[in-house]
């Protein structure tokens, strides 16, 4: 049987994180060429160490909030001989990244404009700039698809009580950007429809990443499946969206959240 992603060249932003690194591993196994990217740092180094030397893997340093870097990214990839036909807007400022290790998480009244703007710059403006560059360099030249990454906290509010006493919280700028990114999907779906490009949003649920037993218990009660997701369970749906089998889907929001949004 053919590999699910044979013939796909997949460009991913923020590839070194919990989900990004899982997508890279699974996409390579499914026969894709993977063009990974991330900010320079330990996540990028770990990802490179895991896959360097594989013929179907390449890595580019990329800050999605830097307009000059984003403007040149597809030209760089194409100059190196690969033409991405799947693009993932996956990079994001998440709670852990925003605060850094050990820094207390501010409540809403103490949220700074700089943290708010930094989150919007990466999660929303970065996604816009990647999509705009895809429009300039790819859309209309060959068939392509864009997948924007939202969250279960895009169109559903958090149950704030589950974060009481936890070292991390949900934060307002995150939810705002994750709702906004689906607006970008809806806008682009019709705009690109006549030029052979599709665009969808995936909204992952709560992904297990070493959370305490108590947090797992609290959040598990809000999820029909009764538990957090494993990264590979989100990757299962992501690989489908990247595959030719998703070719008739555009403008959709796909919840992969164990039923969190279903009741
Ligand atoms: N893990 C979850 O529970 C969960 C749930 C819902 C949605 N998501 C979304 O899935 C995506 C991946 O999440 P994750 O859990 O792997 O997060 P993560 O924090 O582990 O990884 C995020 C990655 O984005 C990168 N990044 C941050 N700023 C960047 C910038 N300016 N330019 C380029 N890269 C940048 C980071 O270096 C990191 O590698 C994000 O969009 C996140 O919002 C995650």
């Amino acid at each position: 049987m053919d590999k699910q992603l044979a013939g796909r060249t997949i460009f991913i932003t923020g590839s070194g994180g919990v989900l990004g690194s899982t997508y890279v591993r699974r996409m390579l196994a499914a026969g894709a060429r993977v063009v990974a990217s991330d900010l320079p740092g330990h996540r990028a180094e770990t990802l490179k160490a895991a896959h360097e030397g594989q013929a179907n893997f390449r890595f580019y340093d990329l800050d999605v909030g830097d307009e000059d870097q984003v403007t040149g990214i597809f030209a760089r990839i194409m100059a190196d001989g690969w033409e991405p036909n799947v693009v993932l807007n996956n990079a994001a400022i998440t709670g852990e990244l925003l605060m850094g290790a050990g820094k207390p998480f501010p409540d809403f009244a103490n949220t700074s404009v700089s943290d708010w703007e930094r989150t919007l710059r990466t999660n929303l403006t970065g996604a816009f700039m990647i999509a705009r560059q895809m429009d300039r360099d790819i859309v209309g030249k060959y068939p392509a698809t864009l997948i924007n990454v939202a969250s279960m906290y895009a169109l559903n509010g958090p149950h704030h009580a589950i974060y009481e006493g936890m070292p991390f919280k949900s934060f307002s700028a995150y939810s705002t950007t994750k709702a906004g990114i689906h607006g970008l999907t809806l806008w682009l779906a019709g705009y690109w429809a006549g030029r052979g490009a599709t665009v969808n949003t995936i909204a992952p649920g709560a992904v297990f990443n070493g959370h305490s037993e108590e947090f797992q218990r609290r959040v598990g009660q809000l999820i029909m499946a009764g538990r957090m997701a494993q990264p590979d369970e989100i990757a299962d749906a992501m690989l489908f969206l990247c595959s030719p089998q998703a070719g008739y889907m555009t403008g959709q929001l796909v919840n992969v959240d164990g039923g969190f949004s279903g009741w």
Side-chain angles (χ1 to χ4, degrees):
M1 195 179 123
D2 285 348
K3 291 208 167 189
Q4 186 184 17
L5 296 180
R8 297 313 225 199
T9 299
I10 306 177
F11 170 69
I12 315 177
T13 64
S15 313
V18 181
L19 288 174
S21 58
T22 305
Y23 300 150
V24 170
R25 172 176 54 76
R26 290 284 305 276
M27 288 166 177
L28 287 169
R33 287 172 159 179
V34 178
V35 186
S37 69
D38 208 320
L39 298 172
H42 69 276
R43 289 185 199 80
E45 292 310 317
T46 305
L47 188 72
K48 283 192 266 185
H51 302 294
E52 231 158 24
Q54 290 189 47
N56 280 346
F57 175 80
R58 288 182 185 166
F59 184 90
Y60 295 80
D61 288 335
L62 179 70
D63 176 349
V64 298
D66 182 315
E67 187 171 9
D68 287 342
Q69 288 184 31
V70 173
T71 301
I73 189 63
F74 294 120
R76 284 172 66 200
I77 296 165
M78 289 173 187
D80 290 339
W82 284 6
E83 290 187 328
N85 51 12
V86 180
V87 175
L88 261 65
N89 264 326
N90 175 69
I93 299 280
T94 57
E96 288 82 349
L97 285 178
L98 181 67
M99 293 308 127
K103 200 169 144 197
F105 209 106
D107 59 15
F108 184 65
N110 291 305
T111 298
S112 69
V113 170
S114 72
D115 279 349
W116 170 271
E117 288 184 339
R118 195 178 143 220
T119 308
L120 264 64
R121 180 79 189 177
T122 297
N123 299 14
L124 214 42
T125 309
F128 150 71
M129 291 193 291
I130 292 283
R132 184 183 64 175
Q133 205 56 39
M134 187 176 164
D135 184 278
R136 291 170 174 170
D137 294 343
I138 295 173
V139 175
K141 299 193 175 112
Y142 53 82
T145 191
L146 172 67
I147 298 146
N148 287 321
V149 178
S151 160
M152 70 190 208
Y153 288 162
L155 302 182
N156 301 278
H159 294 63
H160 295 283
I162 68 171
Y163 296 96
E164 265 166 36
M166 296 292 156
F168 52 89
K169 307 252 185 292
S170 72
F171 65 107
S172 53
Y174 184 80
S175 287
T176 304
T177 58
K178 294 302 182 179
I181 203 163
H182 188 54
L184 180 64
T185 294
L186 293 171
W187 195 91
L188 282 173
Y191 189 68
W192 282 349
R195 288 196 284 155
T198 57
V199 50
N200 292 292
T201 302
I202 188 169
V207 178
F208 178 71
N209 183 23
H211 297 83
S212 67
E213 293 279 332
E214 175 59 10
F215 184 75
Q216 289 181 67
R217 190 190 62 75
R218 290 184 196 173
V219 75
Q221 288 176 340
L222 304 172
I223 299 169
M224 290 180 188
R227 60 171 179 83
M228 300 181 84
Q230 292 300 321
D232 275 292
E233 293 176 306
I234 309 299
D236 288 332
M238 179 60 94
L239 263 63
F240 167 72
L241 289 173
C242 294
S243 76
Q245 285 72 40
Y248 194 58
M249 286 176 66
T250 196
Q252 301 306 304
L253 175 78
V254 179
N255 292 298
V256 190
D257 60 8
F260 174 87
S261 57
W263 57 16

